[in-house]
Amino acid sequence: MIHCGRVHERSRRYPSDTSDEQWAVIEPLLPPVRTGGRPEKHPRRAVVDAILYVVRTGCAWRQLPADFPPWQTVYWYFNQWEQARVTENILPVVRAQLRVQEGRNPLPSAGLIDSQSVKGADTVGRESRGYDAGKKVNGRKRFIVTDTLGLLLLVVVVLAASVQDRDGAKSVLLDTYLRTPVRFVFADGGFAGRLLDWATQILRTTVHIVRKPAGQQGFAVIPRRWAVERTFAWLTAHRRLARDYERDPAMSEAMIRWAAINTITRRIARGGPAIRQQRRTFLAAV
C-alpha cells in the first residue's frame, strides 16, 4: 500500500506469509535492488509472500488476494528471478544453513534420487505430458535428488510422465554431478539396469539400489529411501504441486524450488537464539 509517497508493508495475515525470522534468511539472498531509474514500487517481502501464497494454496495468479501487489507484478518478479536463477542460488545456501543447524557438514556427501508422477491439468500441453502406465497417471514426472536429510539438492527435472525412471535419471544425475560434490546416490529398483554402469563410467557416480526386503507385504519404511519419499510429501503439501498446472516444465521446476525454500527456511526459523547467531555468522561468511 502506498501513502504520501511511502511504501508500507502489508500486514501478515495468511499462514503462508513469511515470519520475521524466515524473511531474515531470504532477504539477503535476493538480487540487490537496482540503483538509479524507477524505484521498486512494492516491498519485496510482499512479492515473496504472494509467490508463496500461490505455491502453498494452489490459487491461480489472477486470483491473488487484493492485499498483495498486482498479480502481473508478482508474476513479473517470479519470472525475472527465475531467469536470474535466484531460486537455484538460494537453495544451496539455506540447505547448508539447515544442515549446520542439524549438526551436519554443510556439504552433503551422499544423495537420494526418486521420481513422482502427478496428473497434468488442461494447461499442460500435449508435447510435455505423457502416460505413466505403472502409476496410471496422465501428466508429468518429477525427478529430484536430495541429501540424506531429505533436503532438495537444487536438482529437480520435470519431464513427461511416460519417461522411464532410468532414462529421466540421466538428466538429474548429470545436474547433480555438475552442481554438487555428491558422488554416491541411493535409489530404488526402478533405477536399476544400464543406468548404474552409465553413472559409474560417465559421471564417476555410484548409484546404489536399495531394494525392498524379501517377502515384504504391505507398507514398510525402507532405510535410506524413506527420506526422499518424505520430501515429496513436504512438496505436495504445497497445493500448487498436488497437480502440475504449468505450461512450461521449467516453471514447474521453479515452483518446486520455491516450495523447498519455504520448507527449509521455516525449519531454520524455528531455531533458537544460538542458532540465529550461527546463521548471521554463516551469512557474513558467504
Side-chain angles (χ1 to χ4, degrees), residues 68-183:
F68 287 119
W71 74 266
Q72 298 95 328
T73 300
V74 176
Y75 185 76
W76 184 87
Y77 273 99
F78 175 84
N79 193 41
Q80 290 295 309
W81 284 346
E82 199 51 39
Q83 291 183 33
R85 307 171 76 95
V86 170
T87 55
E88 296 182 30
N89 295 331
I90 291 176
L91 259 178
V93 177
V94 296
R95 186 188 64 245
Q97 289 184 55
L98 183 54
R99 285 181 61 85
V100 170
Q101 181 171 312
E102 296 287 336
R104 301 295 188 95
N105 190 297
L107 295 177
S109 59
L112 311 169
I113 186 173
D114 205 353
S115 67
Q116 179 190 50
S117 296
V118 293
K119 293 181 179 179
D122 56 0
T123 50
V124 175
R126 184 178 300 177
E127 69 282 354
S128 64
R129 71 188 298 154
Y131 184 71
D132 183 340
K135 301 291 179 62
K136 295 180 172 56
V137 170
N138 186 333
R140 285 180 175 152
K141 184 177 287 189
R142 301 162 178 161
F143 292 84
I144 64 171
V145 174
T146 73
D147 65 7
T148 53
L149 295 177
L151 307 178
L152 196 68
L153 274 178
L154 167 69
V155 185
V156 53
V157 175
V158 176
L159 302 169
S162 55
V163 175
Q164 296 294 317
D165 283 356
R166 62 180 62 92
D167 296 326
K170 290 184 177 181
S171 296
V172 73
L173 287 175
L174 177 58
D175 273 358
T176 302
Y177 175 79
L178 295 174
R179 298 169 185 260
T180 75
V182 170
R183 298 295 179 263

Side-chain angles (χ1 to χ4, degrees), residues 4-278:
C4 296
R6 296 179 61 190
V7 177
H8 290 262
E9 289 280 356
R10 53 177 289 277
S11 59
R12 317 259 80 75
R13 63 180 65 187
Y14 304 112
S16 59
D17 286 342
T18 55
S19 65
D20 290 342
E21 294 81 6
Q22 191 179 7
W23 179 240
V25 176
I26 296 174
E27 183 182 23
L29 303 176
L30 295 175
V33 178
R34 291 178 298 179
T35 57
R38 184 177 180 181
E40 294 185 353
K41 183 177 181 180
H42 301 280
R44 287 188 165 190
R45 185 171 182 179
V47 173
V48 171
D49 284 345
I51 292 172
L52 294 180
Y53 183 89
V54 169
V55 176
R56 190 68 179 83
T57 66
C59 82
W61 291 105
R62 294 173 183 269
Q63 294 178 349
L64 273 172
D67 59 319
F68 287 119
W71 74 266
Q72 298 95 328
T73 300
V74 176
Y75 185 76
W76 184 87
Y77 273 99
F78 175 84
N79 193 41
Q80 290 295 309
W81 284 346
E82 199 51 39
Q83 291 183 33
R85 307 171 76 95
V86 170
T87 55
E88 296 182 30
N89 295 331
I90 291 176
L91 259 178
V93 177
V94 296
R95 186 188 64 245
Q97 289 184 55
L98 183 54
R99 285 181 61 85
V100 170
Q101 181 171 312
E102 296 287 336
R104 301 295 188 95
N105 190 297
L107 295 177
S109 59
L112 311 169
I113 186 173
D114 205 353
S115 67
Q116 179 190 50
S117 296
V118 293
K119 293 181 179 179
D122 56 0
T123 50
V124 175
R126 184 178 300 177
E127 69 282 354
S128 64
R129 71 188 298 154
Y131 184 71
D132 183 340
K135 301 291 179 62
K136 295 180 172 56
V137 170
N138 186 333
R140 285 180 175 152
K141 184 177 287 189
R142 301 162 178 161
F143 292 84
I144 64 171
V145 174
T146 73
D147 65 7
T148 53
L149 295 177
L151 307 178
L152 196 68
L153 274 178
L154 167 69
V155 185
V156 53
V157 175
V158 176
L159 302 169
S162 55
V163 175
Q164 296 294 317
D165 283 356
R166 62 180 62 92
D167 296 326
K170 290 184 177 181
S171 296
V172 73
L173 287 175
L174 177 58
D175 273 358
T176 302
Y177 175 79
L178 295 174
R179 298 169 185 260
T180 75
V182 170
R183 298 295 179 263
F184 191 96
V185 179
F186 295 95
D188 64 27
F191 296 91
R194 290 175 297 177
L195 175 68
L196 307 187
D197 293 334
W198 177 87
T200 301
Q201 296 170 8
I202 305 299
L203 304 180
R204 300 191 296 278
T205 297
T206 300
V207 178
H208 178 72
I209 303 300
V210 182
R211 301 187 183 277
K212 296 180 180 179
Q216 175 188 320
Q217 295 182 355
F219 173 79
V221 174
I222 301 175
R224 297 298 183 184
R225 281 172 48 182
W226 69 270
V228 68
E229 291 166 356
R230 181 185 62 179
T231 302
F232 279 125
W234 287 340
L235 293 176
T236 51
H238 296 76
R239 300 181 72 176
R240 185 79 176 203
L241 302 180
R243 172 180 298 237
D244 199 317
Y245 294 93
E246 315 309 321
R247 187 168 298 277
D248 183 356
M251 294 298 101
S252 295
E253 295 167 4
M255 289 288 183
I256 292 171
R257 285 191 290 269
W258 274 110
I261 290 168
N262 184 42
T263 299
I264 293 172
T265 54
R266 282 181 180 273
R267 288 180 61 182
I268 293 173
R270 289 199 294 264
I275 297 299
R276 287 195 288 272
Q277 180 59 43
Q278 289 180 18

